[in-house]
Amino acid sequence: MLANIKNYHFSDSVRNRNQKPRILKEIVLEEPIRYSKGDPVERWLNDFLCLNPDASPSLINGCPDPKLCQLFLVDRNALFSGHKVAKCFLQKIFCLFATSHYRNSPDDIQLLCDAPSHRILVLISPFSLSVGFLPDILCTLHICYEGQLCKFFVQKNLLKGKDVSGDLIPWVVSKNFIDPSFSELSGIRIIRIATHPDIQNMGYGTRAIRLLKKFSDRKKGLKNLPKFKKKNRDKQSLVSKTSAILINLDSKGFLNLDYIGVSFGLSISLFCFWKKSGFKVFFIHSNSKNIPNGQNSIMLKPCLGREKEVLKWFDIYRKEFLKKFINLLGCEFRTISSNLVLKIFENINLEKETFCL
């Protein structure tokens, strides 16, 4: 291990004139620990697993108006088809996740590739269709579908105290409020949202959330698109028929959703962001010892057109959360700042509750 050691001498002539000067040593690591500098194996491994932090994509079209940007669904069959354009597009998506300080691992690629309930959406700048052209990715969303669980199955596991993986929001809400019927509702959980580092705090993340809510609030769905027959078709022909990476959300059918939710480590900046998008807090984890980012919180947003079903549990859960939150402010929640507490009280305003977007 090679390192540069620099000595800095500090003398305190006022207090300790007779003592020797203090020496501060600065050690800088110049040689990599696992691989040698410029190792081809490390470069290949980072490119293969999309974990290269130096490949941050640059914006070609600059900063367009967020109102002109559109949200598209990424076709996973085309994204993992092995095409050069698809590989470059996949690298751009994971570079945004890496630069947004998310905990990335090779398991994330496998999850997005194989998990049936996970989806990727990208907010892109206005572009004209051309072969081999990749538009700028301004913001990307990693979502998953949750809910529609059997009430008796959830009740049975809650009584036994078993923790079941998957469907985070239905299990946490059902366990916290002792109501297994919540698991029967269907919703979308936003797992990750990442904006390009050069255009953060400019409204692109809010635009992506607004378009996602607009898509989930549609009351009328379109007719099913024609499907290709599998008779006498090989695998390559099927891939060629579904080679479009971006799918317009207007061509997708109707989703019968009850809510959109998100779970994140509680902080005043993240809380204000989701509060601005119309989300309401329902749960804050009281034990933060095993959580690196502090208290883990859950915020929900009911879908438009589902007010009659949502009103049965929406206000009831928030009232119960408010009682618990006030009682725990002196113990488990004493580390929360006063500004954040006021923001939470402002978010739990039951008198002026509306379902307008």
Side-chain angles (χ1 to χ4, degrees):
M1 182 183 299
L2 299 178
N4 286 338
I5 301 178
K6 300 179 181 180
N7 297 333
Y8 297 93
H9 297 269
F10 296 92
S11 61
D12 193 350
S13 59
V14 178
R15 296 182 180 179
N16 302 320
R17 296 181 178 180
N18 298 327
Q19 296 180 359
K20 297 182 179 180
R22 292 174 294 177
I23 300 176
L24 177 62
K25 295 183 179 181
E26 181 183 0
I27 302 176
V28 181
L29 182 64
E30 293 183 347
E31 183 177 350
I33 299 176
R34 298 180 180 178
Y35 299 92
S36 61
K37 189 174 182 180
D39 190 274
V41 177
E42 182 185 14
R43 188 186 305 109
W44 171 85
L45 186 63
N46 291 332
D47 293 339
F48 178 75
L49 299 177
C50 300
L51 297 176
N52 189 3
D54 298 332
S56 180
S58 58
L59 297 178
I60 301 176
N61 298 327
C63 304
D65 189 356
K67 296 181 181 179
L68 301 178
C69 303
Q70 296 297 326
L71 190 67
F72 288 86
L73 177 67
V74 179
D75 188 359
R76 295 189 296 176
N77 294 329
L79 186 64
F80 295 95
S81 62
H83 195 273
K84 293 183 179 180
V85 178
K87 290 181 180 179
C88 183
F89 199 77
L90 179 63
Q91 184 69 41
K92 284 186 176 183
I93 292 176
F94 271 84
C95 279
L96 291 184
F97 287 145
T99 54
S100 300
H101 306 287
Y102 280 107
R103 295 181 177 180
N104 299 281
S105 66
D107 296 336
D108 298 335
I109 302 179
Q110 182 181 5
L111 187 67
L112 292 175
C113 181
D114 299 333
S117 60
H118 288 247
R119 298 291 185 273
I120 303 177
L121 295 98
V122 291
L123 183 74
I124 62 176
S125 58
F127 69 99
S128 58
L129 295 176
S130 60
V131 179
F133 174 74
L134 289 178
D136 293 334
I137 302 178
L138 306 177
C139 181
T140 178
L141 293 171
H142 179 192
I143 65 173
C144 68
Y145 297 102
E146 293 186 341
Q148 293 183 342
L149 303 177
C150 179
K151 176 181 177 181
F152 300 101
F153 172 76
V154 175
Q155 185 176 6
K156 181 179 178 181
N157 285 273
L158 291 179
L159 291 175
K160 293 182 179 180
K162 293 183 178 180
D163 295 332
V164 182
S165 60
D167 296 290
L168 175 65
I169 293 180
W171 282 104
V172 172
V173 175
S174 299
K175 181 179 179 180
N176 185 68
F177 296 101
I178 317 177
D179 186 8
S181 61
F182 179 83
S183 59
E184 296 179 342
L185 302 177
S186 61
I188 289 178
R189 178 167 64 94
I190 302 174
I191 301 177
R192 296 188 289 184
I193 176 172
T195 307
H196 196 280
D198 296 338
I199 54 174
Q200 292 182 356
N201 300 323
M202 297 178 63
Y204 293 101
T206 305
R207 172 66 176 174
I209 298 298
R210 186 179 294 111
L211 292 177
L212 178 62
K213 292 192 296 183
K214 182 180 178 181
F215 169 68
S216 62
D217 291 339
R218 292 190 307 176
K219 296 183 179 180
K220 294 182 180 181
L222 300 177
K223 295 181 179 180
N224 295 329
L225 297 177
K227 298 182 179 180
F228 299 101
K229 297 181 180 180
K230 297 183 180 180
K231 186 177 181 180
N232 298 328
R233 299 287 180 89
D234 55 357
K235 186 176 181 180
Q236 294 181 356
S237 62
L238 289 176
V239 173
S240 62
K241 291 295 183 180
T242 59
S243 58
I245 299 180
L246 300 179
I247 302 175
N248 194 349
L249 293 180
D250 295 335
S251 63
K252 301 297 292 182
F254 169 65
L255 296 177
N256 189 13
L257 298 176
D258 297 298
Y259 63 88
I260 300 177
V262 62
S263 176
F264 59 93
L266 187 61
S267 65
I268 189 168
S269 59
L270 291 177
F271 186 85
C272 292
F273 171 77
W274 295 109
K275 176 178 174 293
K276 180 182 178 181
S277 300
F279 287 77
K280 304 296 180 181
V281 60
F282 274 80
F283 172 79
I284 297 178
H285 202 282
S286 58
N287 186 9
S288 61
K289 294 181 180 180
N290 299 326
I291 302 175
N293 294 330
Q295 287 84 1
N296 191 15
S297 59
I298 292 178
M299 300 184 72
L300 302 178
K301 169 68 177 177
C303 293
L304 193 65
R306 307 289 294 178
E307 291 87 346
K308 295 182 180 180
E309 295 82 356
V310 168
L311 282 175
K312 298 179 181 179
W313 54 268
F314 192 75
D315 289 339
I316 297 176
Y317 288 176
R318 295 180 62 197
K319 290 179 181 178
E320 292 296 328
F321 166 73
L322 180 60
K323 294 179 182 178
K324 181 179 179 181
F325 181 74
I326 294 176
N327 293 331
L328 296 178
L329 278 178
C331 46
E332 281 84 354
F333 295 152
R334 65 180 181 272
T335 57
I336 301 178
S337 62
S338 59
N339 294 333
L340 183 55
V341 172
L342 294 177
K343 294 292 183 181
I344 294 175
F345 285 147
E346 184 180 354
N347 184 256
I348 315 175
N349 191 355
L350 301 175
E351 297 180 356
K352 299 180 181 181
E353 183 62 41
T354 57
F355 289 94
C356 300
L357 295 178

